[in-house]
Amino acid sequence: MKKISKYLLIILVVLYSSACDSNFDELNTNKVSATSIDPVFQLNAAIVGCAYPNGSLVYDMGVVQQIVTPNSGLISGANYNQDNRTLTQELWQGYYRNVIKNTRDVITRLEENQTRSNLKEMTRIIQAFAFMVLTDDYGSIPYFEGGKGYSDQIYLPVYDSQEAIYADLIKELTEATAALNESGTLESADILYQGDVEKWRSFGYSLLLRAGMRLSKVDPSRAEQVVQSAVQGGVILANSDNAIIRHDPNYTNPIGNFLNATEASNFYLTEPFVNYLKNTNDPRLSAIAVTYVGAKSGPEQTPANESYEAAIQVGIPMGNDNAGAVKAASDLGLVSFYEFAQADRRRVTKNTAPNFLVTASQNYLLMAEARERGWISTGTVEEYYNAGVRAHMNQLGTIDEESVIDASDINGYLQGNPFDASNALEQINTQYWVSSFLNGPEAFANFRRSGYPELAPNPYPGKEVEFINRLTYPNSEISVNSENVQAAISTQGPDNLATKVWWDK
């Protein structure tokens, strides 16, 4: 009897184990976890990832003297003309991790999928945008091998020269834009243009225009060819077609979030920027700036004492540390440095404010310069110039209804500050500086390319350079990918803030 019981127990265990094995895969499969993702959502992740990081506020916008902080430590940078790699690395890490990683994967996945060719070309355009921003800020970067850790197991990518990168960016934008097909699959889930092929094409040609203009100093002949091709193709010329990342409470604007949190009372509009707008009676100052009248501390910067009145806006002088800002405020008759003008964090830098990647205003102004140089033959320089100024003033009203500028004020500004043909390049590119407000990488790039506006060197006594010409490489690259970083440095120049990128030499 004991033997029978023993055998029965063995049989039951075997049957039970067999039953467990037969359902093992089913029981251990997560039925609610995604096993694949539609590549259009990866494109969307890449688009959102293109939003400018806090480091762009501290460096790009600080270099062109639009917004600075007198505070030191973690947020110090362009106001002192000193290297702070905690912040110079933010754009690099954010773009490679959140943009390039996704675009590379989408392009690889769709290489043989002809039914979604439009999605592939759209992704190539976004990837070109991201790589242009990266190379403009850093110079030589991993380009041809960059972002191929997953697809090709290239974990230590080589660095490519900016000259080689720009040649390929122009090729990529030309090919991708031409390959977009109205009869192809409509990618309606795309968050930039909802799959509108014509708008994507205009975006691509706008980036091509930008790339062509970057070559104006280093290769004018090639610049002319590229610019002509872009303008003939058709660039963005209406604010409704601007390339915009639309933020909301779930996907907030990084800089807007930064300026509405712990750093709310630490960043101020600069004296050069505010004075330029004040001296020309520019209505954009009231649309952009706010002063907290009588504020002696950050907590006293409240809606109850805010003012948009242009006449009382005072920009903070460049190159002051905290103690210097206190003295500068006193010298200017302010209650404290908390009374200096700020970019209004309840309007233009609210955490749901859009990120403008490419705008009609920028394109009109680039076309004005191209016409002045004789690179295009349609329209007049003055027409493009006026259209660029008008477009930016109207653009501000799309951010917040409190920043809307009346048409009469726009007309009055253009009449009071008419286009001056004898000073065309300076006037055009100074307006580009204003038009690119809060688009730090583009303002920084065009300032170096054009030489305008004419800004005085940062006076801070401990500055490392007169003007910052590029951002420095992340410490993580130097320690992990050292051989390739050193190869890039040996060709480009020292890894410091003074070294110029290729198209700026």
Side-chain angles (χ1 to χ4, degrees), residues 121 125 172-182 201 205:
E121 308 310 332
I125 291 171
E172 281 291 289
L173 289 168
T174 301
E175 291 179 357
T177 304
L180 289 167
N181 181 6
E182 287 86 348
R201 183 175 289 121
Y205 279 124

Side-chain angles (χ1 to χ4, degrees), residues 257-269:
N257 199 50
F258 188 62
L259 294 180
N260 280 277
T262 57
E263 304 306 328
S265 59
N266 290 333
F267 285 82
Y268 296 88
L269 295 175

Side-chain angles (χ1 to χ4, degrees), residues 393-458:
M393 290 189 179
N394 286 324
Q395 176 188 316
L396 291 172
T398 68
I399 303 174
D400 192 279
E401 61 182 11
E402 292 296 319
S403 292
V404 171
I405 299 175
D406 290 340
S408 60
D409 291 332
I410 298 175
N411 293 333
Y413 175 80
L414 291 172
Q415 290 169 6
N417 301 274
F419 173 70
D420 179 5
S422 67
N423 196 32
L425 291 182
E426 179 176 1
Q427 196 173 14
I428 291 166
N429 285 289
T430 301
Q431 283 294 334
Y432 199 92
W433 174 58
V434 180
S435 176
S436 298
F437 179 66
L438 297 177
N439 184 336
E442 185 58 20
F444 180 34
N446 199 69
F447 167 65
R448 287 172 290 159
R449 177 194 71 83
S450 70
Y452 298 112
E454 292 187 348
L455 300 172
N458 188 329

Side-chain angles (χ1 to χ4, degrees), residues 290-296 300-302 304-309 312-313 335 338-339:
V290 63
T291 286
Y292 295 97
V293 180
K296 298 183 183 68
E300 291 185 22
Q301 294 179 333
T302 66
N305 63 346
E306 69 182 11
S307 175
Y308 304 152
E309 185 182 348
I312 70 167
Q313 307 298 326
V335 171
Y338 293 100
E339 215 176 8

Side-chain angles (χ1 to χ4, degrees), residues 145-198:
E145 293 184 355
K148 292 190 174 182
Y150 177 74
S151 61
D152 294 35
Q153 290 75 57
I154 299 175
Y155 304 118
L156 301 174
V158 299
Y159 283 53
D160 302 289
S161 70
Q162 190 175 67
E163 182 176 7
I165 292 169
Y166 258 86
D168 197 69
L169 285 174
I170 290 168
K171 178 190 76 68
E172 281 291 289
L173 289 168
T174 301
E175 291 179 357
T177 304
L180 289 167
N181 181 6
E182 287 86 348
S183 62
T185 301
L186 176 65
E187 301 290 346
S188 58
D190 142 48
I191 62 171
L192 193 62
Y193 289 122
Q194 295 74 55
D196 189 317
V197 169
E198 276 302 311

